Structure formats: structure tokens, C-alpha cells
Amino acid sequence: MFEERLAAIRDKRVKIAVIGLGYVGLPVACVFAQAGFQVVGVERAKEKVHQIRQGLCPIGGKEPGLAEMLTQVVQSGRLTATTRYEECRDAGVAIIAVETPIDRETRKPNYEALRLALVSLGGHLLRGTLVVVESTIAPLTMDKMVKPILEEASGLRAGEDFHLAHCPERVQPGRLLYNLEHMSRVIGGMTPEAGQLALELYRHIVRADLDVTDCLTAEIVKTTENAYRDVQIAFANEIALLCESLGADVWKVRELVNKCPHRDMHLPGAGVGGHCLPKDPWLLIANTPEDFQAHLIPVARAVNDGMPLHMADLVVKGLWRTGRDVRGSQIAVLGYAYLENSDDTRNSPSEVLVRRLRELGAKVVIHDPYVPLYQGDLRECLRGCDAAVLMVAHDEYRRLNPTELDVPVVVDGRQVWEDKAGPWFISLGKGGWRV
Ligand code: SAJ
């Protein structure tokens, strides 16, 4: 059975089911279909399935090549989309790419979508199937949750009747297709055979290292690589706040620090959003035993979560310096996506800033060239505003000069603009504002 399955994957004779057609699953489904596999995408959102069936890409923002590839594989019949798990009954490979968010209060994983996917898939699991979880999960989840749920729902035994692996996604909005082909991947096999089958599968689409290991290592690697970045960003943000307090320029400090070998100070900014960094550090420490206490990881999260609130403080200071009260002021928030040139608003720092400014009694207007709800004429949005806050370094904003904004106070949270004579200009991380 194993050898036959290995040969079937090698020769692309297995049907692949991809469960969850979001930022992770949709590119994966397209690329495997493009590689010559028959692929069925199972997605709970009916409107997304409808769009995909028409060959239309439901993911906005700049995603080079994705929309074209989707149209091609749908028109060729290689990729089909459905809301029904029955349609993956004859799949020899199942890839699970559903969301695994963190509960905002408890900081614990919300596995509702993953649990539903596992139970639904389990009900249609074929003997010999390779199940790969691409979703980012807390260490020990494969062993303590994924395996038992699939066994219970299918009546089959992992390792004997079906194979289980964890190949964490490494997607980046704006480079979804590029990363899939060019970024190395970790493959955690529940058994050596599962690792080998997954290796054979991903060899069809990945042109970078495929590192086979065990499930626990793969779970820790993925969540650690993002916790590492989150801590690095938090350090940069702390130095930005320090420079503000001392009247220095963090951008100049960062430039000179990074000239020192083995230094790579990240970019201070208005906050850390997205589907990875705000949650993966919490996933990393979610299942640690009582006798382990994380210190650095939670503190780094607190520093980064505090940045949009600091942006609100800078706005209040700027208004005050120009004789205005935040209460009753009209403030334009420029950028609502979590990342430049993307339409992805998940865990957006701007959401925190907007809520805070409204709590302080300000009238807030939002602009974002990529987010449909907030597109429109920027100058119209700025008309009559007392302040403008730049939260996301979209290319459209980079092309502007702050004096063109024609508002009395400008706060730059991403070092996009230089301080030019004109509005009362505050840049995050730069102390010594004009008195
Ligand atoms: N950010 C900063 N300062 C920085 C870098 C980012 O404030 O120096 C902010 C961004 O504005 C954004 C958030 O952090 O709000 C996340 O930015 P990101 O560049 O980390 O983008 P993500 O969230 O899409 O992270 C992805 C992750 N990729 C995968 O999970 C495969 C992450 O591991 C990558 O390191 C990151 O892309 C990347 O390298 O671009």
C-alpha cells in the first residue's frame, strides 16, 4: 500500500483535496493543479466557491500570477471548488489549510475551524490517504488533537491505515505564489513513511529545501520563526520609543546599528498586524507545561500591541501643540490593511488606533487604496481634517508630500515621509519635535 501510494504521488495519479481556500489554501490548490494533479478545493464560504468556479480570484491586493493561474486551472478542469466534503471522498491526499486564530481574551488557540475540517474530512477518509496540515498550530496539536480526531471520525489508525504530516505554510501576502515555489519548507511526519510521502508530494511544487523531521519539531519551527520576528520588531519599537524620549532619530540609529556585523535591527512601526505575527507567538507557548514560564515572548507582544495606542498619543500631542483638542477633532487614518500594498486587514493595527481615537471623542475617517470599504479620493477624505495619521506604507502614500495633505497635523507611523516645512509633522521614533 505504501509503495503504491508513493508511486501514485510521484506520478500525479492521486487526487488532492485542499480544505480551506484562503491565502494559504487557494495558491496551494492552484499550484498543485498547475503541476498536473486533479485538485478539489473544499471551502465553507459559498460566495468564494462561486467566484472560484467562475475562474475569479477572491484574493485582492497585488498577487502576481495568482489570478491568471486560477483562471487557467479552473478552465482546464484541473481545479474544482465545492462546499461539500463528499467531493473529496476519492482523494489520496488531503491538505488542511484552515484558519487557526487566537482568542483575543485567553490568547489560547481557537481551533473551531480546524476541528470542523478534521471531523468532516474524517468522515470521508480513504485508507492510505496522506493528510497534511499546513495551518500553523501550537506544538503538540498534531499528536494530541489532529491524530485522535481523524482516528475517531474515520475509524482508521494513523500510521497504519492513513498517513499524517504537518507542513506549515510560509506564505506572505504579495508573494503567495513566489513563496510556494522558492521558500524552503519543513515537513513533520507522524511516521517516517508519512514524511516520505509528503516529501514526494511537495517535490512537485517546491524548488527549495524540503527538510523532513517529526511533527513536534515542525510545529515549533513554524511558530518560533514568527515569534523570533515579533521579538525583533518589538526591540526596534522599544528603541523607537527610547529615541523619542531622548530627542533622537531612531531611523538614523537603526541605520548605524545595522552597519555593525551580525546586527539586523528591524523596522519600528505603527504596529504589528496580519495572520502570523500577532498569533504565532501565542501558539508557540500555548501548550507548554506548568513548569515552563515564557517571559520575552509575551512582553514583545505587549510592546507591539502598544504601538497603535502610541500613535494615538502622538496625534493627541500634535493636536494639542496646535491648540486643538482631540475631542471633536476630525482625524484621517491612512491605511487600514496590516501590510503595505495588500488588502489584508486581519489584526490590523489601524483597527486599534481607530477604536482608541473614537474613545477619545474624535471623528475618524479612514482611507485605504486596497480595502474596498475605504477606497476613494484621498483629498476628499482629508477635507476638513485636523490631523492625518499614516499607518501603512502603501505606494500611493509614498508618492505624496505631507504638505499636499493640507491638514494641520501629520503623524507618520512608517517613516514614509520626510519632515517638510508645512504641517505640524511628527514621525514615530523621532523626538525633538519643533517646539
Ligand atoms: N512589521 C514591522 N516592522 C518590521 C516588519 C514588519 O512593524 O520590521 C509589521 C508589518 O507592518 C506588519 C506586521 O509587522 O503589520 C507583519 O509584517 P510581516 O512582514 O512579518 O508580514 P507577514 O505577517 O505577512 O509575515 C510573513 C510571515 N511569513 C510566513 O509566515 C511564511 C513571516 O514569517 C515572514 O517573516 C514575513 O512574512 C516576511 O518576512 O515578510
Side-chain angles (χ1 to χ4, degrees), residues 235-245 250 268 307 428-430:
F235 177 80
N237 285 330
E238 179 127 295
I239 301 304
L241 300 178
L242 176 141
C243 286
E244 275 182 20
S245 72
V250 72
M307 294 314 286
L428 172 73
K430 282 185 180 175

Side-chain angles (χ1 to χ4, degrees), residues 123-137:
H124 302 285
L125 198 57
L126 267 183
R127 269 183 199 288
T129 298
L130 168 65
V131 179
V132 182
V133 175
E134 284 213 4
S135 304
T136 303
I137 49 180

Side-chain angles (χ1 to χ4, degrees), residues 170-173 222 226 229 233 266-267 273 276 338 414:
R170 280 183 163 162
V171 301
Q172 291 165 264
K222 168 64 187 181
N226 283 339
R229 184 168 175 84
I233 296 168
H266 283 32
L267 297 168
C276 299
Y338 85 86
R414 297 288 179 188

Side-chain angles (χ1 to χ4, degrees), residues 288-295 298:
T288 49
E290 292 295 314
D291 61 359
F292 169 81
Q293 178 62 50
H295 300 286

Side-chain angles (χ1 to χ4, degrees), residues 35-294:
F37 287 89
Q38 186 59 41
V39 180
V40 58
V42 184
E43 166 60 50
R44 64 182 175 186
K46 288 194 178 66
E47 69 281 357
K48 201 180 273 189
V49 170
H50 181 65
Q51 269 187 292
I52 293 167
R53 281 178 173 168
Q54 293 180 310
L56 301 175
C57 183
I59 294 175
K62 295 179 180 175
E63 289 299 346
L66 182 59
E68 298 80 357
M69 186 183 287
L70 174 68
T71 305
Q72 199 178 37
V73 294
V74 168
Q75 285 176 350
S76 70
R78 280 262 177 232
L79 172 61
T80 59
T82 178
T83 58
R84 301 171 59 247
Y85 278 85
E86 289 76 2
E87 294 190 35
C88 62
R89 183 183 298 280
D90 54 348
V93 171
I95 296 173
I96 298 175
V98 297
E99 62 165 9
T100 51
I102 284 288
D103 180 289
R104 288 200 177 182
E105 303 305 320
T106 65
R107 310 284 198 205
K108 288 296 183 188
N110 172 348
Y111 281 153
E112 190 185 328
L114 179 60
R115 204 177 295 278
L116 178 62
L118 291 167
V119 170
S120 306
L121 173 67
H124 302 285
L125 198 57
L126 267 183
R127 269 183 199 288
T129 298
L130 168 65
V131 179
V132 182
V133 175
E134 284 213 4
S135 304
T136 303
I137 49 180
L140 298 178
T141 301
M142 290 296 288
D143 193 43
K144 304 291 184 204
M145 179 185 146
V146 174
K147 177 169 173 277
I149 290 180
L150 281 176
E151 289 182 329
E152 167 77 24
S154 65
L156 302 175
R157 305 267 310 144
E160 294 167 34
D161 305 320
F162 68 94
H163 303 280
L164 203 42
H166 176 43
C167 183
E169 50 87 2
R170 280 183 163 162
V171 301
Q172 291 165 264
R175 299 155 63 178
L176 294 179
L177 282 189
Y178 180 86
N179 275 23
L180 259 179
E181 185 178 359
H182 298 286
M183 271 189 96
S184 68
R185 300 287 290 271
V186 177
I187 294 174
M190 187 65 78
T191 60
E193 294 76 14
Q196 211 179 336
L197 290 171
L199 178 60
E200 197 63 54
L201 175 71
Y202 283 91
R203 271 194 181 129
H204 287 292
I205 64 167
V206 177
R207 307 276 170 271
D209 289 351
L210 287 169
D211 301 304
V212 181
T213 181
D214 59 273
C215 282
L216 177 60
T217 302
E219 290 165 326
I220 295 174
V221 165
K222 168 64 187 181
T223 46
T224 295
E225 65 195 31
N226 283 339
Y228 168 85
R229 184 168 175 84
D230 196 53
V231 167
Q232 292 278 7
I233 296 168
F235 177 80
N237 285 330
E238 179 127 295
I239 301 304
L241 300 178
L242 176 141
C243 286
E244 275 182 20
S245 72
L246 293 174
D249 176 345
V250 72
W251 304 99
K252 188 63 183 166
V253 166
R254 174 178 178 271
E255 179 198 338
L256 299 178
V257 162
N258 286 347
K259 288 199 169 181
C260 181
H262 315 305
R263 286 359 178 236
D264 175 24
M265 188 169 149
H266 283 32
L267 297 168
V272 173
H275 54 296
C276 299
L277 272 57
K279 78 176 171 69
D280 292 0
W282 296 120
L283 287 173
L284 174 59
I285 60 176
N287 292 337
T288 49
E290 292 295 314
D291 61 359
F292 169 81
Q293 178 62 50

